[in-house]
Amino acid sequence: MSGGLVPYKLQRTLAYIHAHLEQALSLPTLAVVAQMSPTHFAHLFKHATGLAPHQYVSRCRIERAKRLLAGTDLPLIEIVPQVGCADQSHFTALFRRHVAMTPKTYRNTTKRA
């Protein structure tokens, strides 16, 4: 197969990821959703999306966090579990790695008074 995952398996997997961002999303779990072996799934997923499954999940979590930070007044302690992070320090490190600023700085620069 030259195009990665067949479209229905890719769509099912992406929908599952977006619906379960607050949970642990391991490669074996996602492979079960796609009904494939983890190794084969990871290869085809990367071919289809350009990202390894864990990279895609991290990007989705950061995008959700950005929406929550910019669009709500929820405290960080409430956002952290909604994006699947175990604790605030891990979340802040992940966010900084992807966005090049802390969540607080991001919120302050995106909030419009």
Side-chain angles (χ1 to χ4, degrees), residues 9-60:
K9 286 189 177 189
L10 179 62
Q11 290 307 318
R12 183 183 342 154
T13 304
L14 297 181
Y16 183 88
I17 290 169
H18 289 279
H20 298 89
L21 281 177
E22 72 285 354
Q23 299 172 10
L25 293 170
S26 67
L27 180 59
T29 299
L30 297 177
V32 167
V33 172
Q35 299 174 321
M36 308 175 95
S37 74
T39 305
H40 192 58
F41 167 75
H43 176 74
L44 293 180
F45 187 91
K46 183 165 184 166
H47 189 77
T49 65
L51 297 169
H54 74 277
Q55 292 171 318
Y56 184 87
V57 169
S58 289
R59 183 172 289 178
C60 290

Side-chain angles (χ1 to χ4, degrees), residues 60-97:
C60 290
R61 287 180 167 150
I62 294 301
E63 290 306 313
R64 179 180 283 180
K66 286 164 69 175
R67 284 192 305 275
L68 290 169
L69 288 165
T72 73
D73 290 321
L74 286 173
L76 199 53
I77 193 95
E78 290 181 30
I79 292 174
V80 169
Q82 290 187 45
V83 297
C85 289
D87 60 61
Q88 198 165 323
S89 64
H90 174 253
F91 169 72
T92 299
L94 182 70
F95 193 90
R96 185 181 299 203
R97 191 163 57 245

